[in-house]
Amino acid sequence: MKYRTIVADPPWPYRQKLGRGKSQGHLTRGGLPYRAMSLDEIERLPISELAEDDSMLWLWTTNSHLPNAVVIMERQWGFRYITMATWGKVGREGRPQIGLGYWLRGATEHVLLGVRGNPRSRMVGPNGATGRAWSTLLLAPRSEHSEKPQVFYDMVEDISEPPMLELFARRRRLGWDVWGNEVDPTVEVFPSPARGQAGVEPAAQEQSGLGSAALASGDIDSDGFHEGTEDAQ
């Protein structure tokens, strides 16, 4: 089955010092002891095969990986970058909820919108998408680790079209297909690994497009990390 809307929230890699509960050799993210994915693993996700010719992709990323996310979206998956929305994490009083960070403490995450073909049947009205003028700023409190706010899904369902697929989902949603380690999948994108492991097939012996090119240009170090990504945002 192919989808007109895909939401992807891959576990981007970060260099973190090992602490309690971590295993040697794991790529940790945000100081948590679960397996992240390398950039080569992320680029091999079968997004192109899952998307219809006219489709939208919503790709979650973090501050450090914005350049990598745009390259993967456009060069590896064949989507044209359109715009970005930022989730500003706020508390009950509207103040920023500050998280981890190396250079700056993070209080935001970003979701890139890319399109393939011409998926514009809902892009009508004086204010563009469905006439509701969705903003590039989404203010909402954080909940469980990496879980995205409901207002994001409201926006996607208002702008994008079914059928819809969420990769690395954390719960089921009415009318969506979902896949991930933290949810009972409704579709088999590829064999689901054990909980806490990366959701990809074992890495190939030879690096593919992004990793090889980025290493050659010096943008990514020999461990597969974008330079300056010690922060967790």
Side-chain angles (χ1 to χ4, degrees):
M1 181 174 180
K2 292 182 178 289
Y3 298 88
R4 291 183 66 86
T5 300
I6 297 176
V7 171
D9 184 20
W12 297 91
Y14 292 93
R15 257 184 304 205
Q16 298 284 341
K17 293 181 180 180
L18 290 174
R20 185 173 61 185
K22 298 181 177 66
S23 299
Q24 186 69 37
H26 275 207
L27 299 171
T28 61
R29 180 173 186 259
L32 293 180
Y34 63 76
R35 172 73 153 78
M37 295 172 66
S38 71
L39 295 178
D40 283 325
E41 289 174 323
I42 291 173
E43 73 171 64
R44 285 197 300 274
L45 291 171
I47 302 297
S48 296
E49 291 81 2
L50 292 167
E52 289 191 3
D53 292 339
D54 297 316
S55 54
M56 292 185 181
L57 170 65
W58 301 86
L59 175 61
W60 281 98
T61 187
T62 55
N63 295 315
S64 296
H65 282 293
L66 275 170
N68 296 326
V70 173
V71 169
I72 291 174
M73 169 184 281
E74 293 200 326
R75 198 166 80 189
Q76 304 301 323
W77 297 343
F79 283 79
R80 184 173 76 259
Y81 170 76
I82 296 296
T83 190
M84 177 180 74
T86 296
W87 171 24
K89 303 175 183 180
V90 297
R92 293 180 180 178
E93 299 179 355
R95 297 177 180 176
Q97 290 183 314
I98 297 176
L100 300 175
Y102 186 80
W103 295 98
L104 298 174
R105 298 289 297 276
T108 58
E109 287 186 51
H110 311 285
V111 60
L112 310 184
L113 171 59
V115 302
R116 186 162 81 173
N118 189 33
R120 295 183 60 85
S121 63
R122 291 191 178 184
M123 307 292 282
V124 296
N127 294 315
T130 68
R132 292 193 57 180
W134 284 98
S135 170
T136 56
L137 178 61
L138 305 174
L139 295 177
R142 71 170 81 225
S143 54
E144 298 296 325
H145 182 79
S146 295
E147 184 176 350
K148 302 307 183 275
Q150 180 59 42
V151 64
F152 163 71
Y153 296 97
D154 294 341
M155 178 177 68
V156 172
E157 291 178 349
D158 204 13
I159 294 175
S160 304
E161 292 186 341
M164 298 184 177
L165 169 67
E166 183 176 14
L167 298 176
F168 307 97
R170 285 160 181 84
R171 65 182 181 88
R172 290 192 175 189
R173 295 185 178 277
L174 183 65
W176 291 63
D177 276 335
V178 295
W179 183 92
N181 294 340
E182 300 179 29
V183 67
D184 291 330
T186 61
V187 62
E188 185 173 310
V189 176
F190 32 68
S192 298
R195 184 178 299 272
Q197 297 296 314
V200 294
E201 296 172 347
Q205 292 295 319
E206 190 173 69
Q207 288 182 317
S208 53
L210 174 67
S212 300
L215 279 168
S217 68
D219 291 336
I220 296 177
D221 67 23
S222 59
D223 293 324
F225 293 90
H226 195 283
E227 289 184 341
T229 58
E230 287 92 344
D231 59 313
Q233 293 291 329

